[in-house]
């Protein structure tokens, strides 16, 4: 319903929207009118040049590809050290850790798996494990009974079907208990160097927020986004999007005023637009806090990232 004007008529939605923009803070007006870039609060990277972001109906397929790839390039400069945030030393550890990461944080998994892999370093060891002992180790990750069943089951499958080795093919990985396409692509991309798109909750949220796709089914999202980028870019693209979702573009309160791609984002203004207030919303190394890995890559540490504390350290 439109609001009433003094003469008894209704103002149009268009007029109301224009009035709201005029009253909004300057940074919001700039993004809404697409006349000037939003000042970015993340240090060390100039904001992207402002471009007009059209509605999904107005943006051509070619324009969408250009904008999507430009966002990925910008994020690659902001997160040049982006990497999988689960600690692992081999494909077996990665597939187990990824299964355990469901419904919990990577940090909690990283704090829990050292004890698990110290006691059960190989698929053969975990396949023969006492479930009650595994449950006790996995208790901090939540849903520990179901996760125990999955990791013991996938370990048995690795031993019985693949000679104790994690297979490097998608069709084989998804046959393992607890392993779906998302987990399979994490393993393929980061343990075997085979490109894949990891459609987790952060990835789903951001690609819809950026209007790269309107799909909600993970498999359809994977197909839609895969069509926008060269296959060789898929794994790094996944890292860039997920890192941005965890650090800046949060679900409930995005740090819009500290976002390096604000001028390219059709959802600018959904979160905090004031640069100083937005800076306080940044997480992990962008906010000056530890990351999620106990043993992160050296490149991350060299860039100023901090390792996470072990379980029980506070």
């Amino acid at each position: 319903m439109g609001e009433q004007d003094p003469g008894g008529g209704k103002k149009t939605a268009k007029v109301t929207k224009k009035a709201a923009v005029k009253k909004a803070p300057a940074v919001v007006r700039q993004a809404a009118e697409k006349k000037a870039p939003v000042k970015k609060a993340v240090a060390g990277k100039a904001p992207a040049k402002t471009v007009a972001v059209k509605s999904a109906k107005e943006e051509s397929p070619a324009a969408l590809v250009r904008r999507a790839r430009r966002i990925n390039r910008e994020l690659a400069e902001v997160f040049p050290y982006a990497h999988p945030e689960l600690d692992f030393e081999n494909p077996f550890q990665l597939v187990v850790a990824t299964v355990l990461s469901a419904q919990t944080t990577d940090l909690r998994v990283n704090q829990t798996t050292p004890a698990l892999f110290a006691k059960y370093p190989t698929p053969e060891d975990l396949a023969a494990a006492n479930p009650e002992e595994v449950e006790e180790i996995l208790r901090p990750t939540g849903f520990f009974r179901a996760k125990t069943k999955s990791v013991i089951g996938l370990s048995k499958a690795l031993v019985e079907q693949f000679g104790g080795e994690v297979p490097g093919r998608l069709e084989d990985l998804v046959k393992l208990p607890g392993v779906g396409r998302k987990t399979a692509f994490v393993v393929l991309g980061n343990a075997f160097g085979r490109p894949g798109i990891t459609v987790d909750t952060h990835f789903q949220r951001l690609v819809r927020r950026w209007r790269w796709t309107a799909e909600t089914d993970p498999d359809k999202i994977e197909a839609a986004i895969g069509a926008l980028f060269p296959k060789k870019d898929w794994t790094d693209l996944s890292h860039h999007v997920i890192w941005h979702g965890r650090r800046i573009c949060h679900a409930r309160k995005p740090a819009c005023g500290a976002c390096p791609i604000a001028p390219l984002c059709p959802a600018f203004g959904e979160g905090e637009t004031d640069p100083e207030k937005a800076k306080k919303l940044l997480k992990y190394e962008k906010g000056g806090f530890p990351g999620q890995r106990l043993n992160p890559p050296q490149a991350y540490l060299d860039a100023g990232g901090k390792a996470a504390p072990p379980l029980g350290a506070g």
Side-chain angles (χ1 to χ4, degrees):
M1 298 287 292
E3 68 176 290
Q4 297 290 328
D5 67 18
K10 291 183 178 179
K11 293 181 179 180
T12 65
K14 184 175 182 181
V15 172
T16 302
K17 184 176 181 181
K18 285 184 177 180
V21 169
K22 288 181 179 180
K23 295 180 181 179
V27 68
V28 178
R29 293 202 306 272
Q30 290 172 356
E33 297 169 2
K34 302 301 177 191
K35 290 183 178 179
V38 177
K39 184 177 180 181
K40 174 177 166 288
V42 177
K45 175 72 173 64
K49 180 181 177 183
T50 299
V51 297
V53 180
K54 298 182 179 180
S55 68
K57 292 182 179 179
E58 295 175 334
E59 190 172 38
S60 69
L64 172 59
V65 168
R66 288 194 297 271
R67 182 168 63 86
R69 294 185 182 186
R70 184 169 179 180
I71 287 175
N72 187 41
R73 289 195 301 271
E74 295 288 336
L75 295 181
E77 293 186 32
V78 177
F79 305 113
Y81 43 77
H83 59 269
E85 295 193 89
L86 290 167
D87 282 324
F88 71 98
E89 296 179 356
N90 53 56
F92 172 62
Q93 290 188 1
L94 181 57
V95 70
V96 169
T98 307
V99 169
L100 296 179
S101 69
Q103 304 299 314
T104 191
T105 63
D106 287 353
L107 171 57
R108 180 60 67 185
V109 174
N110 292 337
Q111 293 173 325
T112 305
T113 50
L116 179 71
F117 295 137
K119 190 167 186 177
Y120 310 107
T122 69
E124 291 81 1
D125 295 321
L126 192 51
N130 181 328
E132 292 183 357
E133 294 179 1
V134 177
E135 286 178 1
E136 194 58 34
I137 295 174
L138 300 185
R139 186 179 294 272
T141 68
F143 302 96
F144 58 92
R145 292 189 179 89
K147 290 179 180 179
T148 293
K149 184 177 180 180
S150 290
V151 298
I152 290 180
L154 76 83
S155 296
K156 288 180 178 178
L158 290 175
V159 172
E160 295 169 1
Q161 301 175 32
F162 301 102
E165 299 291 332
V166 176
R169 300 195 312 164
L170 175 65
E171 54 267 40
D172 293 329
L173 284 168
V174 295
K175 295 177 183 177
L176 300 174
V179 177
R181 289 179 69 87
K182 183 189 80 171
T183 295
F185 281 129
V186 170
V187 175
L188 290 173
N190 298 291
F192 293 99
R194 297 175 183 173
I197 295 176
T198 303
V199 185
D200 73 349
T201 56
H202 300 287
F203 194 95
Q204 292 183 49
R205 181 179 76 254
L206 266 62
V207 297
R208 287 197 295 269
R209 188 171 274 174
W210 294 335
R211 295 180 189 164
W212 288 3
T213 181
E215 299 289 354
T216 57
D217 178 76
D219 291 351
K220 292 181 179 179
I221 291 174
E222 177 194 322
I225 305 308
L228 301 177
F229 295 89
K231 188 173 182 179
K232 64 181 178 63
D233 294 343
W234 288 356
T235 299
D236 285 341
L237 168 70
S238 299
H239 291 324
H240 298 154
V241 175
I242 292 169
W243 274 53
H244 190 62
R246 285 177 169 170
R247 285 151 177 76
I248 299 175
C249 195
H250 314 308
R252 295 184 179 178
K253 199 169 185 180
C256 293
C259 180
I261 60 164
L264 301 169
C265 180
F268 176 84
E270 287 187 7
E272 179 58 65
T273 57
D274 180 84
E276 292 306 314
K277 292 181 180 179
K279 284 169 100 174
K280 297 177 181 179
L281 300 175
L282 301 178
K283 295 183 178 180
Y284 306 117
E285 76 286 342
K286 290 299 179 187
F289 304 107
Q292 300 210 71
R293 290 187 66 164
L294 278 69
N295 298 296
Q298 189 60 46
Y300 174 74
L301 297 174
D302 291 344
K306 300 177 182 178
L311 188 65

